[in-house]
Amino acid sequence: MNSLVLLSAAAGLGALWLWAELVDRRASMRWLGGGRPAVGTPERTHAVVVLGYGNRGERANLVNRFRIRAGVRSLDPRSENLLVLCGGPVHSSTSEAVIMQRYAREHLGYGGPTALDTTSRSTRENIAHAIPLIEHADTIAIVSNAPHAEMGREILWNERPDLAVRLVRGAEHRLGEAPVLKILGALRATYAKRTALWRRSSRSITPDLQPPRP
């Protein structure tokens, strides 16, 4: 009987993980643009916007470590890159952006150009504060866990469709990576989309603006 219970539990967890992988993959492919420049475009600039997560203390927590790793691997080796880190001091005296920058430099060896948004306190503010930093970019990737990045891209479509057409896929989705974060993110996104939470978080703050769905 105990073996049967364990097998049933394992099967249930496996099914939950596979479902979360599917949700994560689909989220990583939504709200992208179609404006990717041709390879070899002179002085092509690629901006990667990493959305921060509430961080207590001075060391990057598990979620922010995952997000900054995904951000660094989303950089384009063929382009002039800019890494934009977003997040204010929500749960710490130090901003999420500074904590992520420190982790990128000290643990990932990133030494390229960086721009910081150190005051935002929500996903919508992340995107709003990043916009002036990425307006010059030819391509833009918004990176977080995949459902959260999807929300960030939807917000950009709502606020600046002229920039959103430059959106390309980030590298946050990898099969088998961070299964617990994927399951939690998939559950949270599914709940938010079935309630008013997602719409309230991603809707435009500009009255009467109706962006085209990509």
Side-chain angles (χ1 to χ4, degrees), residues 12-193:
L13 286 174
L16 180 63
W17 168 67
L18 290 174
W19 169 78
E21 285 284 353
L22 181 60
V23 171
D24 198 80
R25 183 176 185 276
R26 287 177 173 174
S28 74
M29 301 173 70
R30 293 193 185 103
W31 294 98
L32 299 175
R36 181 187 291 273
V39 175
T41 300
E43 300 181 357
R44 179 184 175 198
T45 302
H46 179 57
V48 175
V49 180
V50 182
L51 309 179
Y53 180 80
N55 202 113
R56 299 185 185 277
E58 296 296 315
R59 299 178 62 184
N61 60 26
L62 176 66
V63 177
N64 280 326
R65 292 198 301 271
F66 168 79
R67 292 183 181 186
I68 192 61
R69 286 197 305 270
V72 169
R73 70 186 183 220
S74 297
L75 298 170
D76 186 347
R78 303 166 298 180
S79 302
E80 180 181 343
N81 288 285
L82 175 65
L83 186 64
V84 180
L85 307 177
C86 298
V90 178
H91 296 304
S92 170
S93 59
T94 304
S95 69
E96 297 159 15
V98 168
I99 290 171
M100 290 192 294
Q101 181 188 45
R102 185 186 304 139
Y103 185 82
R105 290 177 173 174
E106 296 179 0
H107 297 275
L108 304 180
Y110 177 73
T114 306
L116 303 181
D117 152 37
T118 60
T119 60
S120 61
R121 304 179 69 85
S122 67
T123 305
R124 189 185 297 176
E125 287 186 4
N126 287 164
I127 300 302
H129 295 180
I131 284 173
L133 306 174
I134 62 175
E135 287 183 305
H136 67 289
D138 299 303
T139 53
I140 302 164
I142 296 177
V143 175
S144 181
N145 59 303
H148 188 221
E150 177 192 355
M151 177 182 286
R153 291 192 297 272
E154 184 174 346
I155 292 171
L156 188 62
W157 271 104
N158 286 333
E159 297 304 321
R160 288 292 301 272
D162 60 313
L163 295 182
V165 296
R166 309 177 201 174
L167 284 168
V168 297
R169 192 178 180 188
E172 65 267 17
H173 176 76
R174 282 186 174 179
L175 181 64
E177 183 182 38
V180 174
L181 293 182
K182 283 180 180 173
I183 290 170
L184 293 175
L187 290 171
R188 184 175 182 180
T190 300
Y191 171 78
K193 288 184 176 183

